[in-house]
Amino acid sequence: MALRPPDDDLPIPSERPKKQAKIAVTAEKQQPDYGVNDENKPPQATADASVDYIPSENLKPIADPEAEVRGLIEGLESKDWVKVCESLNDARRFALYHSILLLPILDRVMLVTAKAMKNPRSALCKTSIMTSSDIFTAFSDKLLEPSTSDAFDRLLLQLLLKASQDKKFVCEEADNAVKAMVESMTPLPLLRKLKTYVSHSNLRIRAKAAISISRCVSKLEPEGMKEFGLVSLIQTAAELLNDRLPEAREAARAIVASAYEALTENEEEKQQEWQSFCQSNLPAIHAQAMIKLVS
C-alpha cells in the first residue's frame, strides 16, 4: 500500500488569477476638444491662438477674387476648423469688397455661417457671427429675396439664440450683428420676419426679437406703421407687455409710444382716439393697460 506523502510535500496548486475589473478606456473615446471656454470669458489664447478676430474696417480686398471665390465653399465646408475660420474671414472680404462675386453662392455661404454658429468652439462661433454682420451690411434687403430668404431665416434664428446666451462675449457679438441687421435693412419687411419670434417658447429669444422690433418701428414713418398694421403692432405690444423679461416689456412700451404717435398725429382728441382704438382691437384688460400707458 503506497504511503501518502506528507502535506508539506504536496504540490501547491497555483492560485487562479483574480479577474480584473474592466475599466472603460475613455481617453480614446473622448469627444474632440473644441476649446470650450468659461461662459463669461473670451476665447483662451492657448486654444484659439491661430485665429484673429479682425474688425470689419481692417479687412482688405482680395488680390485675385475671381480665382479665390471658386474655392470659398470648399474652405467653408472643411473639416479643419481653423481653415473654416480663415474662409469665413474671406467671405467677409468678398461681402465688403467683391459682393457681386459672392452673390451667386450667397445662400450657401449663409447656411454654412449659420451652421458654424452652432459649433461649441468659441473662435468659430464668434467669427461666424462677425461674418453675418458684414453680410447684412453688404447685402441689406437682397437677403430677403426668394433666393436667400430661407437661408436668412436660419441665420436670424441662430443670431437670436446666440444673443440670448449666457456667454457674454458671444452675446455681445450677436447683439452687434442684430443691430447691424436692423440698421442696414428696410424696417417694414424685416418687421414681418421678426414678428414670428414674439411667440417663441424661449423667453430670451422673445426679448431679443422685441428689442429689434422696437428698433425697426422707431425707423418707420407713421405711414410705414400703418402699412404694417397698427392693429397688429399694438397686439404684438400687448402680448409683450406681459412678458416675464423686463427687456421685452420695455421694448413693448417703446412700440406703444410709436404706435400712439402714428395713430394720433392728426387728431385733436388724442387720448380719446387712442382709447377708442385700443378698446376696439384688444381684450378689455389689455386695452386698459394700453390706455394707462400713454395717459
Side-chain angles (χ1 to χ4, degrees):
M1 177 178 177
L3 295 175
R4 181 183 177 188
D7 290 344
D8 291 343
D9 295 336
L10 287 173
I12 299 174
S14 58
E15 187 174 331
R16 187 175 181 180
K18 295 180 180 180
K19 289 185 179 181
Q20 298 294 322
K22 292 184 179 180
I23 301 175
V25 181
T26 58
E28 296 178 0
K29 297 183 180 180
Q30 286 180 347
Q31 294 296 320
D33 180 12
Y34 289 110
V36 181
N37 303 300
D38 183 86
E39 64 181 16
N40 285 321
K41 293 182 180 179
Q44 297 176 4
T46 54
D48 300 327
S50 55
V51 175
D52 293 325
Y53 302 113
I54 309 172
S56 300
E57 58 270 20
N58 292 346
L59 291 168
K60 305 298 182 185
I62 295 172
D64 189 359
E66 288 82 1
E68 290 290 331
V69 75
R70 289 194 286 269
L72 182 61
I73 294 297
E74 182 180 353
L76 289 170
E77 294 177 344
S78 172
K79 300 296 183 181
D80 181 352
W81 71 270
V82 176
K83 176 63 176 175
V84 176
C85 284
E86 292 172 352
S87 298
L88 284 168
N89 280 328
D90 285 340
R92 297 172 64 199
R93 296 161 71 196
F94 272 107
L96 295 174
Y97 296 106
H98 318 284
S99 58
I100 294 177
L101 293 175
L102 192 63
L103 191 56
I105 57 171
L106 182 57
D107 59 330
R108 295 179 65 187
V109 171
M110 292 169 68
L111 289 173
V112 173
T113 302
K115 181 180 178 181
M117 287 185 200
K118 302 177 186 179
N119 195 293
R121 186 177 286 277
S122 302
L124 192 51
C125 179
K126 181 169 180 175
T127 305
S128 64
I129 294 171
M130 296 172 76
T131 303
S132 69
S133 293
D134 291 327
I135 287 175
F136 295 145
T137 300
F139 292 99
S140 187
D141 292 347
K142 289 181 181 178
L143 301 176
L144 302 178
E145 294 178 358
S147 60
T148 52
S149 181
D150 289 344
F152 173 79
D153 289 342
R154 296 191 190 187
L155 195 62
L156 175 57
L157 175 58
Q158 288 305 313
L159 276 176
L160 292 174
L161 282 167
K162 293 304 174 184
S164 306
Q165 284 194 352
D166 291 329
K167 293 183 180 180
K168 185 178 179 181
F169 76 98
V170 171
C171 179
E172 288 176 348
E173 197 64 50
D175 272 334
N176 290 336
V178 174
K179 287 178 185 176
M181 175 189 70
V182 173
E183 290 170 2
S184 62
M185 302 178 77
T186 303
L188 191 57
L190 184 57
L191 262 177
R192 296 189 176 106
K193 290 282 189 181
L194 289 166
K195 186 177 181 295
T196 60
Y197 295 100
V198 170
S199 301
H200 199 279
S201 58
N202 186 319
L203 73 166
R204 292 189 178 183
I205 288 180
R206 290 200 304 269
K208 294 297 181 180
I211 293 168
S212 295
I213 289 172
S214 174
R215 289 174 179 153
C216 285
V217 170
S218 69
K219 292 176 62 179
L220 284 172
E221 297 293 332
E223 289 305 315
M225 287 185 230
K226 291 173 184 176
E227 184 179 349
F228 176 77
L230 285 173
V231 173
S232 178
L233 209 53
I234 65 160
Q235 288 173 344
T236 298
E239 188 175 347
L240 290 169
L241 276 174
N242 295 314
D243 201 271
R244 288 166 55 190
L245 288 184
E247 304 98 296
R249 298 195 298 270
E250 182 63 30
R253 286 190 282 270
I255 294 169
V256 171
S258 296
Y260 174 81
E261 293 297 328
L263 179 72
T264 64
E265 62 173 342
N266 297 319
E267 300 292 334
E268 292 184 4
E269 298 293 334
K270 296 181 182 296
Q271 190 67 27
Q272 185 176 347
E273 177 67 21
W274 177 250
Q275 179 175 335
S276 175
F277 178 76
C278 292
Q279 289 174 341
S280 300
N281 295 290
L282 293 172
I285 190 169
H286 290 164
Q288 192 63 30
M290 290 288 189
I291 294 166
K292 286 182 178 179
L293 199 59
V294 298
S295 61

Coordinates of all heavy atoms in Angstrom, one line a residue, residues 32-38 41-54 80-86 89 116 119-128 130 167 169-170:
P32 N -13.9 65.3 -29.3 CA -12.8 66.2 -29.6 C -12.9 67.4 -28.8 O -13.9 67.9 -28.4 CB -13.1 66.5 -31.1 CG -14.0 65.4 -31.6 CD -14.8 65.0 -30.4
D33 N -11.7 67.9 -28.5 CA -11.6 69.2 -27.7 C -11.9 70.4 -28.5 O -11.1 70.7 -29.4 CB -10.2 69.3 -27.1 CG -10.0 70.5 -26.3 OD1 -11.0 71.1 -26.0 OD2 -8.8 70.8 -25.9
Y34 N -13.0 70.9 -28.3 CA -13.4 72.1 -29.1 C -13.0 73.4 -28.5 O -13.3 74.5 -29.0 CB -15.0 72.1 -29.3 CG -15.5 71.1 -30.1 CD1 -16.3 70.0 -29.6 CD2 -15.3 71.1 -31.5 CE1 -16.7 69.0 -30.4 CE2 -15.8 70.1 -32.3 CZ -16.5 69.1 -31.8 OH -17.0 68.1 -32.6
G35 N -12.3 73.3 -27.4 CA -11.8 74.5 -26.8 C -12.9 75.4 -26.2 O -12.9 76.6 -26.3
V36 N -13.9 74.7 -25.5 CA -15.0 75.4 -24.9 C -14.5 76.2 -23.7 O -13.8 75.6 -22.9 CB -16.1 74.5 -24.5 CG1 -17.3 75.3 -24.0 CG2 -16.6 73.7 -25.8
N37 N -14.8 77.4 -23.6 CA -14.3 78.3 -22.6 C -15.3 78.6 -21.5 O -16.5 78.3 -21.7 CB -13.8 79.6 -23.2 CG -12.8 79.4 -24.3 OD1 -11.7 78.8 -24.0 ND2 -13.1 79.8 -25.5
D38 N -14.8 79.1 -20.4 CA -15.7 79.6 -19.4 C -16.7 80.6 -20.0 O -16.4 81.4 -20.8 CB -14.9 80.4 -18.3 CG -15.8 80.9 -17.2 OD1 -16.0 80.1 -16.3 OD2 -16.2 82.0 -17.3
K41 N -16.0 84.4 -20.3 CA -14.6 84.8 -20.7 C -14.5 84.7 -22.2 O -15.1 83.8 -22.8 CB -13.6 84.0 -20.0 CG -13.5 84.1 -18.5 CD -12.4 83.3 -17.9 CE -12.3 83.5 -16.4 NZ -11.3 82.6 -15.8
P42 N -13.7 85.6 -22.8 CA -13.4 85.5 -24.2 C -12.6 84.2 -24.5 O -12.0 83.6 -23.6 CB -12.6 86.7 -24.5 CG -12.0 87.2 -23.3 CD -13.0 86.7 -22.2
P43 N -12.4 83.8 -25.8 CA -11.7 82.6 -26.1 C -10.3 82.7 -25.6 O -9.6 83.7 -25.6 CB -11.7 82.6 -27.6 CG -12.9 83.4 -28.0 CD -13.0 84.4 -26.9
Q44 N -9.8 81.5 -25.0 CA -8.5 81.5 -24.5 C -7.4 81.5 -25.6 O -7.6 80.9 -26.6 CB -8.3 80.2 -23.7 CG -9.2 80.1 -22.5 CD -9.0 78.8 -21.7 OE1 -8.2 78.0 -22.1 NE2 -9.8 78.6 -20.7
A45 N -6.3 82.2 -25.3 CA -5.3 82.4 -26.3 C -4.7 81.0 -26.7 O -4.3 80.8 -27.8 CB -4.2 83.3 -25.8
T46 N -4.6 80.1 -25.7 CA -3.9 78.8 -26.0 C -4.8 78.0 -26.9 O -4.3 77.2 -27.7 CB -3.7 78.0 -24.7 OG1 -5.0 77.9 -24.0 CG2 -2.7 78.7 -23.8
A47 N -6.1 78.1 -26.8 CA -7.0 77.3 -27.6 C -7.2 77.9 -29.0 O -7.2 77.2 -30.0 CB -8.4 77.1 -27.0
D48 N -7.3 79.2 -29.1 CA -7.6 79.8 -30.4 C -6.6 80.8 -30.8 O -6.9 81.8 -31.5 CB -9.0 80.5 -30.2 CG -10.1 79.6 -29.8 OD1 -10.0 78.4 -30.3 OD2 -11.0 80.0 -29.1
A49 N -5.3 80.5 -30.5 CA -4.2 81.5 -30.8 C -4.1 81.7 -32.3 O -3.6 82.7 -32.8 CB -2.9 81.0 -30.2
S50 N -4.5 80.7 -33.1 CA -4.3 80.8 -34.6 C -5.4 81.5 -35.3 O -5.3 81.7 -36.5 CB -4.2 79.4 -35.2 OG -5.3 78.6 -34.8
V51 N -6.4 82.0 -34.5 CA -7.5 82.8 -35.1 C -7.4 84.2 -34.7 O -7.3 84.6 -33.6 CB -8.8 82.1 -34.7 CG1 -10.0 83.0 -35.2 CG2 -8.9 80.7 -35.2
D52 N -7.5 85.1 -35.7 CA -7.6 86.5 -35.5 C -9.0 87.0 -35.6 O -9.7 86.7 -36.6 CB -6.6 87.3 -36.4 CG -5.2 87.0 -36.2 OD1 -4.8 86.8 -35.0 OD2 -4.4 86.9 -37.2
Y53 N -9.4 87.9 -34.7 CA -10.7 88.5 -34.8 C -10.5 89.9 -35.4 O -10.1 90.8 -34.8 CB -11.4 88.6 -33.4 CG -11.6 87.3 -32.8 CD1 -10.9 87.0 -31.6 CD2 -12.4 86.3 -33.3 CE1 -11.0 85.7 -31.0 CE2 -12.6 85.1 -32.7 CZ -11.9 84.8 -31.5 OH -12.0 83.6 -30.9
I54 N -10.8 89.9 -36.7 CA -10.4 91.1 -37.5 C -11.6 92.0 -37.6 O -12.7 91.7 -38.1 CB -9.9 90.8 -38.9 CG1 -8.9 89.7 -38.8 CG2 -9.4 92.0 -39.7 CD1 -8.5 89.1 -40.2
D80 N -11.3 71.1 -41.1 CA -10.3 71.8 -40.2 C -11.0 73.1 -39.8 O -11.2 74.0 -40.6 CB -9.0 72.1 -41.1 CG -8.0 72.8 -40.3 OD1 -8.2 73.3 -39.1 OD2 -6.9 73.0 -40.8
W81 N -11.2 73.3 -38.5 CA -11.9 74.5 -38.0 C -11.1 75.8 -38.3 O -11.7 76.8 -38.5 CB -12.3 74.3 -36.6 CG -11.1 74.4 -35.6 CD1 -10.4 73.4 -35.2 CD2 -10.6 75.6 -35.0 NE1 -9.4 73.8 -34.3 CE2 -9.6 75.2 -34.1 CE3 -11.0 76.9 -35.0 CZ2 -8.8 76.1 -33.4 CZ3 -10.3 77.8 -34.2 CH2 -9.2 77.4 -33.5
V82 N -9.8 75.7 -38.2 CA -9.0 76.9 -38.5 C -9.2 77.3 -39.9 O -9.3 78.5 -40.2 CB -7.5 76.6 -38.2 CG1 -6.7 77.9 -38.6 CG2 -7.3 76.3 -36.7
K83 N -9.2 76.3 -40.8 CA -9.5 76.7 -42.3 C -10.9 77.3 -42.4 O -11.0 78.2 -43.2 CB -9.4 75.4 -43.1 CG -9.7 75.5 -44.6 CD -8.7 76.5 -45.3 CE -9.0 76.6 -46.7 NZ -8.1 77.5 -47.4
V84 N -11.9 76.8 -41.7 CA -13.2 77.4 -41.8 C -13.2 78.8 -41.3 O -13.8 79.7 -42.0 CB -14.2 76.5 -41.0 CG1 -15.6 77.2 -41.0 CG2 -14.3 75.1 -41.5
C85 N -12.5 79.1 -40.3 CA -12.4 80.5 -39.8 C -11.7 81.4 -40.8 O -12.2 82.5 -41.1 CB -11.6 80.5 -38.5 SG -12.5 80.0 -37.0
E86 N -10.7 80.9 -41.4 CA -10.0 81.7 -42.5 C -10.9 81.9 -43.7 O -11.0 83.0 -44.2 CB -8.8 80.9 -43.0 CG -7.6 80.8 -41.9 CD -6.5 79.9 -42.4 OE1 -6.7 79.3 -43.4 OE2 -5.5 79.9 -41.7
N89 N -13.5 84.6 -42.8 CA -12.9 85.9 -43.0 C -12.8 86.3 -44.5 O -13.0 87.5 -44.8 CB -11.6 86.0 -42.3 CG -11.7 86.2 -40.8 OD1 -12.6 86.9 -40.3 ND2 -10.7 85.6 -40.1
A116 N -22.0 77.2 -38.5 CA -20.8 77.5 -37.7 C -21.1 78.1 -36.4 O -20.4 77.9 -35.4 CB -19.8 78.4 -38.5
N119 N -21.4 75.6 -33.6 CA -20.2 74.9 -33.1 C -19.8 75.4 -31.7 O -19.8 76.6 -31.4 CB -19.1 75.2 -34.1 CG -17.9 74.2 -33.9 OD1 -17.2 74.2 -32.9 ND2 -17.7 73.3 -34.9
P120 N -19.5 74.4 -30.8 CA -19.1 74.8 -29.5 C -17.7 75.5 -29.4 O -17.4 76.1 -28.3 CB -19.1 73.5 -28.7 CG -18.9 72.5 -29.7 CD -19.5 73.0 -31.0
R121 N -16.9 75.5 -30.5 CA -15.6 76.1 -30.4 C -15.8 77.6 -30.5 O -16.4 78.2 -31.4 CB -14.7 75.7 -31.5 CG -13.3 76.2 -31.4 CD -12.4 75.7 -32.5 NE -12.0 74.4 -32.2 CZ -11.0 74.0 -31.4 NH1 -10.3 74.9 -30.8 NH2 -10.7 72.7 -31.3
S122 N -15.3 78.4 -29.5 CA -15.6 79.8 -29.4 C -15.1 80.6 -30.6 O -15.8 81.5 -31.1 CB -14.9 80.3 -28.1 OG -15.3 79.6 -27.0
A123 N -13.9 80.3 -31.1 CA -13.4 81.1 -32.2 C -14.3 81.0 -33.4 O -14.5 82.0 -34.2 CB -12.0 80.6 -32.5
L124 N -14.7 79.8 -33.7 CA -15.6 79.5 -34.9 C -16.9 80.2 -34.8 O -17.4 80.8 -35.7 CB -15.7 78.0 -35.1 CG -16.3 77.6 -36.4 CD1 -15.6 78.2 -37.6 CD2 -16.3 76.0 -36.5
C125 N -17.5 80.1 -33.6 CA -18.8 80.8 -33.3 C -18.7 82.3 -33.5 O -19.5 82.9 -34.2 CB -19.2 80.4 -31.9 SG -20.8 81.1 -31.5
K126 N -17.7 82.9 -32.9 CA -17.5 84.3 -32.9 C -17.2 84.8 -34.4 O -17.8 85.8 -34.8 CB -16.4 84.8 -32.0 CG -16.3 86.3 -32.0 CD -15.4 86.8 -30.9 CE -15.2 88.4 -30.9 NZ -14.5 88.9 -29.8
T127 N -16.4 84.1 -35.1 CA -16.1 84.5 -36.4 C -17.3 84.4 -37.3 O -17.5 85.3 -38.2 CB -14.9 83.6 -37.0 OG1 -13.8 83.7 -36.1 CG2 -14.5 84.1 -38.4
S128 N -18.1 83.4 -37.1 CA -19.3 83.3 -38.0 C -20.3 84.4 -37.7 O -21.0 84.9 -38.6 CB -20.0 81.9 -37.7 OG -20.4 81.8 -36.4
M130 N -19.4 87.5 -36.7 CA -18.9 88.7 -37.3 C -19.1 88.6 -38.9 O -19.4 89.7 -39.5 CB -17.3 88.7 -37.1 CG -17.0 88.9 -35.6 SD -15.2 88.7 -35.2 CE -14.6 90.3 -35.8
K167 N -23.0 83.3 -22.4 CA -21.6 83.6 -22.7 C -21.6 85.1 -23.1 O -22.0 85.4 -24.2 CB -21.1 82.7 -23.8 CG -21.0 81.2 -23.4 CD -20.5 80.4 -24.6 CE -20.3 79.0 -24.2 NZ -19.8 78.1 -25.3
F169 N -19.2 87.2 -24.2 CA -18.6 87.7 -25.4 C -19.3 87.3 -26.7 O -19.3 88.0 -27.7 CB -17.1 87.2 -25.4 CG -16.9 85.8 -25.8 CD1 -16.6 85.4 -27.1 CD2 -17.1 84.8 -24.9 CE1 -16.5 84.1 -27.5 CE2 -16.9 83.5 -25.2 CZ -16.6 83.1 -26.5
V170 N -20.0 86.1 -26.6 CA -20.8 85.6 -27.7 C -22.1 86.5 -27.8 O -22.5 86.9 -28.9 CB -21.2 84.1 -27.6 CG1 -22.2 83.7 -28.6 CG2 -19.9 83.3 -27.7

